[in-house]
Amino acid sequence: MNQGKQGGMAPAFPLLIGAVVAAVAVSQDNWGGAVLGLVAGAVVSLVVSARRRKR
């Protein structure tokens, strides 16, 4: 597999999961859970992105 295209979705995937969790939490009027889902997704996404840059 091409090294440049390998795992292109990897850094964005945790953010996508966080957005889905936030959408479900908002639909249930759980604003704290929505914020937690977005923040956790963003943090994990940044960590994955930073680790990929080190390689």
Side-chain angles (χ1 to χ4, degrees), residues 17-32:
I17 297 299
V20 170
V21 168
V24 170
V26 167
S27 73
Q28 296 176 355
D29 289 330
N30 182 1
W31 295 99

Side-chain angles (χ1 to χ4, degrees), residues 3-25:
Q3 183 68 16
K5 292 186 178 186
Q6 184 178 5
M9 180 73 176
F13 189 69
L15 191 56
L16 177 67
I17 297 299
V20 170
V21 168
V24 170

